[in-house]
Amino acid sequence: MMKKRLTQGEEFEILKLVIDKFLWLGFGIMALGLYRIFAVSTVNIYREFSFMIAGGIILVILLYLLVKEYELLK
């Protein structure tokens, strides 16, 4: 049985969809942390900062994936 190969354009479209989801997830988590800092007056502010740090980590992972994919395409 022969497997179908994706064209370069199809691979790029799939990559764009995946990257878009990572961006939304990262910024969404960071926005949730920022909202909780201003809206919820709690004594433990470190929990809200941990949301922002988690969003930042997701964005760093996205950056790593982009660089890795770009190097593979070269």
Side-chain angles (χ1 to χ4, degrees), residues 52-66:
M52 296 185 71
I53 291 170
I57 290 171
I58 289 174
L59 293 176
V60 168
I61 291 171
L62 169 70
L63 177 69
Y64 172 75
L65 290 174
L66 281 172

Side-chain angles (χ1 to χ4, degrees), residues 8-53:
Q8 191 173 10
E10 291 171 335
E11 286 181 8
F12 181 70
E13 290 297 321
I14 292 172
L15 181 66
K16 281 194 327 188
L17 289 172
V18 171
I19 289 172
D20 186 49
K21 300 305 180 234
F22 268 105
L23 280 173
W24 278 110
L25 184 65
F27 282 119
I29 292 173
M30 289 179 82
L32 176 66
L34 189 62
Y35 168 75
R36 290 180 56 93
I37 285 174
F38 290 121
V40 179
S41 59
T42 61
V43 176
N44 189 4
I45 199 165
Y46 296 112
R47 182 174 178 211
E48 284 74 23
F49 276 119
S50 67
F51 277 104
M52 296 185 71
I53 291 170

